[in-house]
Amino acid sequence: MIGRSVERALGILTVIGLVIGLYIAFIYAPADAVQGDVQRLMYLHVPLILVSYLAFFVVFVASILYLWRRRQQHDAIAHSSAEIGVLFTALAIAVGSIWGRPTWGVWWTWDARLTTSAILLLMFLGYLMLRTLVDDPSRGARFCAVLGIIGFLDVPIIHLSVVWWRTLHQPASILRPGPSTVASDMQVALYTNLAAFVLLYGYLLVKRLQVEGARQELFRLQMELLG
Amino acid sequence: MIFTRRVLAIAWKDLIAEWRDRESITAMCFFAFLVLFLFNFALGGDQALIRQASSGLLWLAFAFTGVLGLARSVQSELVNDCLDGLLLYPAEREAIYLGKLLGSFTVILLVELISFPLFAVLYNMNIWSQLPKLLLITAPATLGFAAAGTLMSTMTVGLRAREAMLPFLLFPMTIPLILAAVRGTEVVLRREAFELAMPWLKLMAAFDVLFLVGSVLTFELLVEE
């Protein structure tokens, strides 16, 4: 397990990172010339979705490791990372939707990237549901590891298919807003927030793993008491 | 060689069992008919609209009926502990998976073949001259659907909420396949140049390869005790 001091250091770094990120996003970075202050949602939206990709990649790697080595710890990492990934994806879609309403005029559009993100969310919601439904924990771990690997490998194909689906017959009618060349101040704000959210992800993962460890300890003690 | 024989033996067993009671096929055909019938009302009987949406409707009907068949294919092994018996069969686990897959694939494809004339009549489509091209789209789509479905069905078969969980896991994963099949069928039904369907065929091929290889490699993990 990760030591207490490391965890505390990670927590403090996360808070500092998020505060600096907020300052840069709200005060340091200029308002967008076209979209105004609404554009500041980007500093929340983009890190959320990028970190959720990271989380699902961790699920993928941890699942392979679990099937290979059969270590409980790897399964716990996959499970925890999937939960955080689902949370971040859902938040990213919600924030994107709030951003899309004033800039695109709609809450939702069937843009390729949006569609892929929604499918990713659905797939990993299924992953979490499968976990709660399988009674035997080791069996659930195996099933979910298979699902995590295959699901992740399927993502590039899903992405390709929705890109084609949107662009093969008609030209893309709604492109992503914002300038194509991001101003350097904005880039600084984006990267700072991205770093802060990666720290947040790490901290949440550590915390979630501790909960998992405590749960297993409780289970062990219960078994001991019951004989 | 012996591996192929074992795969065929398992598929044969499933198909004979299916032929004896014909329960799956009857239910699936009836369901496909019902879905195609109901879509007519959902779209308000607007013929132009129905024509435009027809390939999507067709594949939605196939996806729903396919799930029905896939759920039954593994579920039927639970009765009288047949699954344990099947696992004792002296063959590699891969052969068991491929056998089950081949059985489901055949049943779903059969239902699709029965549905085509039904579709043609109900939606007033002339599909007969296009049938070979249509099969070229249908076969890889059904193969991938059955490959992913057999794997997911094995995962969900022991669950309390299996009826809900199988589609919930299967549909998001098979979106590329359904999308490609709908687009490919559209190209064929509109009599456009078949080259336009090529990217979708390639997509289906990639999906099929991914799921066949992935499933063969991981199936053993799902049935191990």
Side-chain angles (χ1 to χ4, degrees), chain A residues 67 70 119 123 126 129-130 132-135 142-143 146-147 150-151 153-154 157-158 161 164-165 168-169, chain B residues 151-152 155 159-160 165 168-169 172-173 175-176 179 183 199-200 203 206-207 210-211 214 218 221-222 224:
Chain A
L67 290 180
R70 297 301 168 104
I119 297 170
M123 245 161 44
M129 268 174 85
L130 185 68
T132 59
L133 284 173
V134 183
D135 295 321
R142 260 185 291 132
F143 284 14
V146 170
L147 197 63
I150 291 198
L153 292 178
D154 196 23
I157 297 187
I158 291 177
S161 68
W164 282 357
W165 164 59
L168 199 67
H169 284 279
Chain B
L151 194 73
M152 298 297 146
M155 262 185 211
L159 306 181
R160 285 157 309 208
M165 269 319 276
F168 198 78
L169 293 181
M173 293 218 156
I175 280 175
L179 209 54
R183 291 289 157 152
W200 302 114
L203 186 68
F207 186 95
L210 170 76
F211 266 91
T218 53
L221 300 160
L222 298 183
E224 85 182 16

Side-chain angles (χ1 to χ4, degrees), chain A residues 116-130:
Chain A
T116 319
S117 309
I119 297 170
L120 201 61
L121 179 65
L122 279 177
M123 245 161 44
F124 278 90
L125 274 176
Y127 174 98
L128 292 181
M129 268 174 85
L130 185 68

Side-chain angles (χ1 to χ4, degrees), chain B residues 124-145:
Chain B
N124 219 349
M125 292 260 179
N126 179 15
I127 60 169
W128 306 117
S129 54
Q130 305 296 94
L131 209 54
K133 285 182 192 166
L134 219 48
L135 279 178
L136 224 53
I137 305 280
T138 310
T142 310
L143 181 66
F145 197 74

Side-chain angles (χ1 to χ4, degrees), chain A residues 86-199:
Chain A
V86 164
L87 174 72
F88 278 26
T89 317
L91 283 176
I93 290 176
V95 170
S97 197
I98 293 169
W99 186 10
R101 178 66 194 161
T103 49
W104 293 347
V106 286
W107 293 106
W108 179 262
T109 174
W110 293 98
D111 162 72
R113 221 182 282 199
L114 296 186
T115 313
T116 319
S117 309
I119 297 170
L120 201 61
L121 179 65
L122 279 177
M123 245 161 44
F124 278 90
L125 274 176
Y127 174 98
L128 292 181
M129 268 174 85
L130 185 68
R131 265 197 197 264
T132 59
L133 284 173
V134 183
D135 295 321
D136 175 9
S138 84
R139 180 176 258 234
R142 260 185 291 132
F143 284 14
C144 282
V146 170
L147 197 63
I149 294 170
I150 291 198
F152 191 81
L153 292 178
D154 196 23
V155 168
I157 297 187
I158 291 177
H159 185 76
L160 199 65
S161 68
V162 294
V163 169
W164 282 357
W165 164 59
R166 250 356 202 172
T167 53
L168 199 67
H169 284 279
Q170 65 223 58
S173 46
I174 304 161
L175 286 167
R176 307 224 90 201
S180 52
T181 48
V182 181
S184 62
D185 285 350
M186 290 180 174
Q187 270 182 23
V188 170
L190 192 58
Y191 290 137
T192 312
N193 274 292
L194 183 59
F197 272 86
V198 171
L199 284 173

